[in-house]
Amino acid sequence: MFGMIKNSLFGGVEVNNGTLLHKQEKDGITFEERAYEGGKFASLEVSGKPFDEATKECVLKLLKYVGGSNEKGAGMGMTSPVSIISYPTKSETLEPKVKVILRIPNQFQTDPPIPTDENICIEHREGLTVYATQFGGYAKEADYVAHAAKLHSCLGPDASYSTDYYICCGYDPPMKPYGRRNEVWFVKNN
């Protein structure tokens, strides 16, 4: 637990901002098209719980993993964003199912430590291109859903992206009160 707290308060954070391909503003909403490289990620899935509860549970377990709850006892440092794969419903909510993914820090990409929590998986994910919009505050399910609707409206019918899921991203530790960065990503179809 101390490793997790120390890591999130004092550890370095590798921020993956991707490569900006295009930036646009429409109806007062700024959105970007960005490319992200693939790599190894720690992931955890939870079903049957509300989005906010499931997300918190997953994030805490992943923070413990990068804080030293792994076979090497290695405090790896934090990466951001923490990405939450979420599944929209027709009733403008998210399904009670999430997959939270956290990129393994560059120093550990070739040989990530095995998690002590058997529910955490280490997986290779391919690179992707996303449409992203940013907003502040402490994001909850309703915030992500509202910003996803705005991004959908801005992109219009010509943009081609997955509609089965989208990615909710948080960049900041929970104790950061101001200047918080959250995003919604739609994964562009190739």
Side-chain angles (χ1 to χ4, degrees):
M1 185 68 152
F2 177 71
M4 176 184 79
I5 295 168
K6 179 180 151 213
N7 202 30
S8 64
L9 286 174
F10 306 112
V13 177
E14 280 182 23
V15 180
N16 185 359
N17 287 315
T19 302
L20 180 63
L21 304 175
H22 182 74
K23 186 173 184 174
Q24 187 175 341
E25 185 176 329
K26 182 178 179 186
D27 300 329
I29 306 295
T30 301
F31 58 97
E32 299 177 345
E33 183 178 342
R34 295 188 217 129
Y36 287 86
E37 65 182 352
K40 292 188 177 144
F41 289 76
S43 70
L44 185 60
E45 287 187 69
V46 170
S47 296
K49 294 183 180 180
F51 175 87
D52 294 328
E53 182 183 335
T55 298
K56 183 178 179 181
E57 179 181 319
C58 290
V59 168
L60 285 174
K61 288 181 178 185
L62 290 171
L63 286 175
K64 287 178 184 176
Y65 165 65
V66 298
S69 291
N70 54 64
E71 69 169 6
K72 296 178 182 176
M76 294 185 275
M78 189 60 194
T79 61
S80 75
V82 173
S83 302
I84 308 146
I85 299 173
S86 54
Y87 305 89
T89 67
K90 292 186 183 346
S91 62
E92 297 183 9
T93 60
L94 298 172
E95 287 185 25
K97 173 183 168 185
V98 298
K99 181 175 187 176
V100 179
I101 58 175
L102 184 64
R103 192 170 199 284
I104 302 291
N106 287 331
Q107 175 184 349
F108 295 91
Q109 273 289 311
T110 55
D111 186 24
I114 295 172
T116 54
D117 184 332
E118 61 194 32
N119 296 310
I120 296 175
C121 298
I122 303 301
E123 60 184 61
H124 179 81
R125 299 184 67 82
E126 296 298 322
L128 49 82
T129 300
V130 301
Y131 297 109
T133 189
Q134 183 176 323
F135 61 99
Y138 284 95
K140 300 281 187 216
E141 176 180 2
D143 302 308
Y144 287 118
V145 169
H147 286 277
K150 290 176 184 177
L151 180 58
H152 174 75
S153 176
C154 289
L155 291 173
D158 295 335
S160 178
Y161 54 88
S162 175
T163 56
D164 295 340
Y165 71 96
Y166 56 83
I167 302 174
C168 306
C169 297
Y171 285 79
D172 304 300
M175 63 289 297
K176 181 179 178 184
Y178 303 106
R180 298 183 63 79
R181 178 181 174 188
N182 309 291
E183 294 182 341
V184 171
W185 293 357
F186 290 168
V187 178
K188 185 176 179 180
N189 293 329
N190 292 333

